[in-house]
């Protein structure tokens, strides 16, 4: 079979992708020791096992909620979906593109051709779609910013396309031939972050049997993209500030700093100015990262891009599982256009990929899983400045500060201001109450699964967990 195989896992409105080996067995389940861990309450600790082929086969390991394989059968110009329940201990063959249900979770093995364009973590392909006028102006400004060495801070809601914009800045810069290092600041512990970012010398700690360069060193002559930079621990913030000021790194256990030549692009959906006031983010680091700020409008404010993005995602998802691109009905397009997309482009991509798996050759409204608000229940679309305030929704992070970039200013200097919110206590309390209720609702929908609930709300898991304590919400216990 040409190309590599990966397993796409659709759970709680989100999707994760896991590369599969060419041969062998892969255990699926909720237990930490599973080869592919699926953190969903409907999945047993040891739920099923996939045998890599050919042929591909799956075995149920005595799960509580069962395993089902859904196959697409065509006859006489029509397409039907047939469900086959996998009996415990028996092997059932399946193919690339067949949907597998583990409880309420859907899995699909898809083919990834080596020449297939990479799709970024925010759900946007590297060949991005731009139709909205505000987005055209934003990308035009980004290309101008890319030409200089200034640090860039990207603002926007989760899944709105910050990583794609960061990659664009890199590709349009004089550093385009160098590496583009992506780092999710919320994904690693403080101790691991330090070792990975700055490297270590032999003997610096237990098991450090040889010297290892840090990620900053490997990005020499390139661009470092710090995603979710607002999640950096204070200890790492201090060290990162030194790197930005001195352009040198000190390996763990090292005696002398090493010079580096990298450009920094950062992204956050948090109000860093507010974090500075609370003492959780260093003001000097904030000013260093915020050489110029660009804000990406959410998808609900650039609805003209929804249809072309949906068709792009549908075509790629269908090709990856060996199907023809499905037709998208007018009713489905209308439903997508009127939906608010709290998870932005990432949520759109997940919804389309799920619909491609479940539909019978045509995507209809019932094939889309759209929960939440539609146009009219939230603020109506408005013209979005190139940089500006990210609209507040009950599920999003606190309001971002208002920034303005003078596009006609040859130096493109940033002018910022922090709004005094001390007189808006009642509004804060009301919004806090709404956010608390949405978190409770998300936990109920996800059977107490905190990771899934955070993903549903478009919120980093670390932020979600901290807000459980802040809002006095009891942390649910995992079911066995």
């Amino acid at each position: 079979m040409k190309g590599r195989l990966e397993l796409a896992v659709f759970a709680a409105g989100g999707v994760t992708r896991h590369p599969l080996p060419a041969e062998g067995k892969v255990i699926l389940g909720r237990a930490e020791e599973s080869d592919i861990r699926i953190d969903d309450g409907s999945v047993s600790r040891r739920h099923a096992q996939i045998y890599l082929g050919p042929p591909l086969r799956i075995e149920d390991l005595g799960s509580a909620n069962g395993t089902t394989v859904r196959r697409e059968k065509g006859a006489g110009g029509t397409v039907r979906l047939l469900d086959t329940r996998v009996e415990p201990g028996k092997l059932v063959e399946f193919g690339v593109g067949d949907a597998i249900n583990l409880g309420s979770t859907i899995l699909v093995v898809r083919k990834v051709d080596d020449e297939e364009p990479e799709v970024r973590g925010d759900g946007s392909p590297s060949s991005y779609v731009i139709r909205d006028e505000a987005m055209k102006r934003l990308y035009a400004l980004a290309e101008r910013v890319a030409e200089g060495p200034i640090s860039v801070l990207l603002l926007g809601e989760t899944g709105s396309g910050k990583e794609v914009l960061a990659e664009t800045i890199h590709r349009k810069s004089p550093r385009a031939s160098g590496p583009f290092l992506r780092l999710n600041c919320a994904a690693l512990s403080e101790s691991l972050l330090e070792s990975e970012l700055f490297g270590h010398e032999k003997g610096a700690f237990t098991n450090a049997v040889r010297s290892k360069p840090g990620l900053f060193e490997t990005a020499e002559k390139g661009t470092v993209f710090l995603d979710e930079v607002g999640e950096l621990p204070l200890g790492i913030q201090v060290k990162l500030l030194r790197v930005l000021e001195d352009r040198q790194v000190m390996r763990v256990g090292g005696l002398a700093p090493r010079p580096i030549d990298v450009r920094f692009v950062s992204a956050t959906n948090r109000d860093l100015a507010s974090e500075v006031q609370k003492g959780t983010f260093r003001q000097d680091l904030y000013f260093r990262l915020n050489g110029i700020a660009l804000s990406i409008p959410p998808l609900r404010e650039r609805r003209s891009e929804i249809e072309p993005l949906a068709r792009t995602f549908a075509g790629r998802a269908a090709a990856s599982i060996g199907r023809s691109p499905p037709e998208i009905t007018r009713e489905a397009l209308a439903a997508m256009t009127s939906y608010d997309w709290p998870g932005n482009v990432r949520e759109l991509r997940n919804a389309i990929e799920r619909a491609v798996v479940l539909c019978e050759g045509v995507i209809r409204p019932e094939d889309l899983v759209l929960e939440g608000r539609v146009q009219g229940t939230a603020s109506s679309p408005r013209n979005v400045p190139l940089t500006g305030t990210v609209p507040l929704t009950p599920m999003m992070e606190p309001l971002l500060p208002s920034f303005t970039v003078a596009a006609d200013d040859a130096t493109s200097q940033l002018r910022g201001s922090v709004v005094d919110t001390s007189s808006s206590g009642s509004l804060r309390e009301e919004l806090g109450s709404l956010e608390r209720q949405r978190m409770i609702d998300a936990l109920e929908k996800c059977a107490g699964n905190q990771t899934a609930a955070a993903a549903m709300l478009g919120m980093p898991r670390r932020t979600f967990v901290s807000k459980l304590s802040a809002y006095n919400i009891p942390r649910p216990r995992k079911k066995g």
Side-chain angles (χ1 to χ4, degrees):
M1 182 179 298
K2 182 185 177 182
R4 297 166 285 113
L5 294 180
E6 71 173 14
L7 183 70
V9 180
F10 298 85
V15 59
T16 57
R17 294 170 176 80
H18 309 269
L20 293 174
E23 57 184 18
K25 297 179 286 188
V26 176
I27 295 178
L28 313 172
R30 204 174 74 248
E32 293 283 353
E33 61 270 18
S34 300
D35 296 319
I36 295 180
R37 184 169 180 266
I38 304 173
D39 193 7
D40 186 276
S42 66
V43 176
S44 297
R45 294 182 61 79
R46 280 175 55 90
H47 197 113
Q49 184 168 241
I50 290 179
Y51 295 77
L52 282 309
L56 293 169
R57 295 172 295 169
I58 189 166
E59 174 189 6
D60 187 274
L61 300 178
S63 65
N65 293 318
T67 302
T68 304
V69 176
R70 171 170 287 193
R71 295 184 176 90
E72 183 183 85
K73 297 292 184 182
T78 62
V79 176
R80 293 185 301 142
L81 298 176
L82 300 180
D83 291 340
T84 301
R85 184 174 179 82
V86 180
E87 298 297 331
K90 294 185 178 180
L91 299 180
V92 173
E93 289 190 17
F94 68 96
V96 172
D98 291 340
I100 301 171
N101 279 88
L102 306 188
S104 61
T105 299
I106 298 175
L107 284 67
V108 179
V109 173
R110 65 187 293 268
K111 182 172 65 175
V112 184
D113 290 334
D114 293 333
E115 65 272 15
E116 178 179 323
E118 184 179 0
V119 179
R120 305 303 173 202
D122 62 3
S124 297
S126 54
S127 54
Y128 44 82
V129 173
I130 298 179
R131 297 288 188 276
D132 182 78
E133 288 301 320
M135 289 294 287
K136 290 179 181 178
R137 296 194 301 271
L138 175 63
Y139 270 77
L141 180 57
E143 290 188 17
R144 291 173 55 194
V145 170
E147 297 172 359
I150 190 171
S151 296
V152 183
L153 179 62
L154 305 181
L155 309 174
E157 296 178 4
T158 298
S160 58
K162 296 188 290 294
E163 186 172 346
V164 173
L165 184 56
E167 186 194 29
T168 300
I169 291 172
H170 170 70
R171 288 192 289 105
K172 298 292 185 180
S173 75
R175 299 175 176 268
S177 59
F180 179 71
L181 173 65
R182 303 172 186 83
L183 178 69
N184 188 323
C185 299
L188 299 174
S189 65
E190 180 169 355
S191 58
L192 192 57
L193 260 175
E194 182 173 9
S195 175
E196 290 299 313
L197 291 181
F198 305 106
H200 62 258
E201 297 292 357
K202 180 179 178 181
F205 49 83
T206 305
N207 297 328
V209 295
R210 62 177 60 88
S211 297
K212 177 187 174 184
L215 293 175
F216 287 160
E217 290 182 63
T218 66
E220 182 72 10
K221 304 295 184 183
T223 303
V224 174
F225 174 53
L226 300 173
D227 196 12
E228 297 190 41
V229 70
E231 306 295 327
L232 278 177
L234 279 170
I236 299 298
Q237 290 181 32
V238 175
K239 292 180 170 61
L240 177 59
L241 177 63
R242 293 200 192 111
V243 173
L244 287 165
E245 290 179 337
D246 302 334
R247 300 294 162 168
Q248 295 179 331
V249 294
M250 176 73 80
R251 291 183 181 179
V252 178
L255 299 177
R258 296 169 179 266
I260 60 169
D261 178 13
V262 298
R263 182 189 197 174
F264 287 91
V265 177
S266 308
T268 183
N269 65 348
R270 306 190 67 165
D271 179 359
L272 290 188
S274 176
E275 298 298 320
V276 167
Q277 292 179 346
K278 291 188 295 185
T280 57
F281 200 87
R282 294 182 61 94
Q283 185 179 51
D284 44 10
L285 176 60
Y286 171 57
F287 289 142
R288 280 288 181 179
L289 296 174
N290 191 11
I292 187 169
L294 302 176
S295 181
I296 305 175
L299 187 58
R300 63 181 172 273
E301 297 188 355
R302 42 185 168 111
R303 296 181 189 268
S304 60
E305 296 185 353
I306 293 176
E307 179 177 346
L309 280 170
R311 295 192 185 280
T312 299
F313 294 148
R316 291 190 175 181
S320 72
I321 57 177
R323 299 182 187 175
S324 300
E327 177 189 347
I328 305 178
T329 65
R330 292 182 179 179
E331 293 77 14
L333 288 173
M336 288 188 285
T337 303
S338 62
Y339 181 59
D340 264 350
W341 299 109
N344 293 292
V345 180
R346 182 186 293 121
E347 184 185 5
L348 172 62
R349 182 189 176 200
N350 294 347
I352 291 296
E353 289 189 342
R354 182 186 180 103
V356 168
V357 171
L358 298 179
C359 76
E360 300 183 10
V362 178
I363 296 179
R364 298 181 171 85
E366 55 267 27
D367 298 315
L368 300 166
V369 182
L370 305 179
E371 299 180 5
R373 303 160 301 163
V374 296
Q375 187 178 8
T377 61
S379 58
S380 57
R382 57 183 174 82
N383 293 327
V384 184
L386 293 178
T387 60
T389 300
V390 177
L392 178 65
T393 68
M395 69 196 70
M396 295 306 301
E397 297 294 319
L399 204 63
L400 289 172
S402 174
F403 292 100
T404 303
V405 169
D408 56 347
D409 187 344
T411 59
S412 296
Q413 292 181 342
L414 176 67
R415 298 189 295 273
S417 60
V418 179
V419 179
D420 181 9
T421 57
S422 59
S423 61
S424 56
S426 60
L427 176 60
R428 281 177 166 283
E429 292 172 6
E430 183 180 352
L431 292 174
S433 176
L434 288 171
E435 183 174 54
R436 183 180 190 277
Q437 188 58 51
R438 290 195 69 86
M439 291 175 66
I440 293 173
D441 293 344
L443 283 170
E444 290 179 354
K445 289 180 181 179
C446 299
N449 186 316
Q450 298 170 44
T451 301
M456 177 179 291
L457 299 181
M459 186 183 296
R461 186 183 187 280
R462 183 184 296 180
T463 303
F464 184 87
V465 171
S466 68
K467 288 192 175 188
L468 288 179
S469 302
Y471 287 137
N472 244 351
I473 302 174
R475 295 185 63 173
R477 296 180 179 176
K478 288 187 177 180
K479 301 179 180 179

